[in-house]
């Protein structure tokens, strides 16, 4: 029996109240055996009440109070420590969730950076295409001007040839013998 229970039990017995203990729901057979109360060879088949010595109710109350007063502070400290631990776990979980969301944000930022670099790449392609189109437009404009000039030159040359032919035809007409008029 624990020293504290011996002292509490002795004080209860000294009061002189010798009332037989009736089995309470709080104290089971095994609990009573643990505290040294009851027969030495307790088997589950034997009756608990018949084997128990006469115990004062006040003694049981005092034993219970002693047990509670002995273990309650430790239990309360354990309860407070568990509450603190639980709070710390909650804080840790919240912090962990925040860090996870930051990592997700970082991944989305990386995705955004990839999109921006891709957009820059396509923008450069568009600028190159626009420059090529402007260069092609200039070339086509020059070619059109050149074609127009060539067409005008050919037309001028054809006109000059036509005029030359007409002059030659007229000259041939003039050179051909004309019959003299009879007078």
């Amino acid at each position: 029996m624990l020293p504290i229970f011996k002292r509490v039990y002795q004080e209860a017995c000294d009061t002189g109240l010798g009332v037989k203990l009736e089995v309470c729901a709080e104290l089971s057979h095994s609990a009573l055996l643990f505290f040294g109360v009851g027969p030495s060879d307790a088997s589950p088949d034997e009756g608990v009440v018949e084997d128990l010595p006469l115990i004062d109710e006040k003694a049981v109350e005092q034993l219970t109070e002693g047990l509670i007063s002995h273990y309650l502070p430790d239990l309360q400290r354990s309860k407070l420590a568990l509450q603190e631990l639980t709070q710390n776990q909650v804080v840790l979980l919240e912090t962990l969730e925040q860090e996870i969301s930051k990592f997700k944000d970082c991944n989305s930022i990386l995705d955004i950076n990839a999109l921006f670099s891709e957009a820059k790449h396509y923008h450069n392609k568009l600028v190159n295409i626009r420059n090529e189109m402007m260069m092609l437009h200039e070339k086509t404009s020059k070619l059109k001007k050149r074609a127009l000039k060539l067409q005008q030159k050919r037309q001028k040359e054809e006109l000059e040839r036509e005029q030359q032919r007409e002059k030659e035809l007229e000259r041939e007409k003039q050179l051909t013998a004309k019959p003299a008029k009879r007078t």
Side-chain angles (χ1 to χ4, degrees):
M1 187 182 291
L2 294 172
I4 190 164
F5 294 117
K6 282 184 181 178
R7 183 178 49 82
V8 172
Y9 182 75
Q10 188 63 37
E11 287 175 9
C13 289
D14 289 343
T15 58
L17 299 172
V19 178
K20 186 173 183 179
L21 173 66
E22 294 183 8
V23 178
C24 300
E26 291 90 17
L27 294 173
S28 68
H29 175 66
S30 59
L32 290 171
L33 288 176
F34 175 77
F35 295 118
V37 179
S40 60
D41 65 304
S43 68
D45 298 335
E46 295 180 16
V48 176
V49 177
E50 294 88 27
D51 296 337
L52 291 177
L54 292 177
I55 298 177
D56 186 7
E57 264 185 53
K58 193 171 184 178
V60 171
E61 225 175 274
Q62 288 178 350
L63 282 171
T64 305
E65 288 175 12
L67 176 68
I68 289 173
S69 67
H70 184 265
Y71 285 106
L72 189 62
D74 290 336
L75 290 173
Q76 287 175 338
R77 281 192 297 274
S78 297
K79 181 180 177 183
L80 289 174
L82 285 174
Q83 285 175 344
E84 184 179 346
L85 195 71
T86 304
Q87 287 175 342
N88 289 341
Q89 281 182 333
V90 168
V91 169
L92 186 63
L93 285 173
E94 289 173 357
T95 306
L96 191 60
E97 287 175 3
Q98 290 172 357
E99 291 299 318
I100 289 171
S101 67
K102 286 180 186 177
F103 280 120
K104 287 181 181 176
D105 291 343
C106 286
N107 285 339
S108 64
I109 287 173
L110 291 176
D111 292 341
I112 290 172
N113 287 338
L115 287 175
F116 274 122
S117 64
E118 192 175 347
K120 185 177 179 182
H121 174 73
Y122 286 117
H123 179 265
N124 289 337
K125 277 189 170 184
L126 285 173
V127 167
N128 290 339
I129 290 171
R130 187 182 68 186
N131 290 339
E132 286 181 29
M133 288 179 67
M134 289 174 64
M135 184 178 66
L136 289 173
H137 177 70
E138 286 176 17
K139 283 184 178 180
T140 55
S141 295
K142 287 179 183 177
L143 285 174
K144 282 182 183 178
K145 284 181 185 177
R146 186 174 173 200
L148 185 62
K149 284 182 184 178
L150 285 173
Q151 186 179 6
Q152 287 174 349
K153 187 177 178 183
R154 280 186 192 159
Q155 285 176 352
K156 188 177 180 182
E157 285 175 359
E158 283 181 24
L159 185 62
E160 285 176 359
R161 268 188 255 138
E162 191 66 35
Q163 286 175 352
Q164 185 71 24
R165 242 188 254 141
E166 284 179 12
K167 280 183 185 178
E168 283 179 17
L169 282 174
E170 203 166 305
R171 192 170 167 192
E172 276 183 31
K173 274 186 186 178
Q174 286 178 358
L175 288 178
T176 39
K178 290 183 186 177
K181 285 186 186 181
R182 294 185 196 177
T183 42

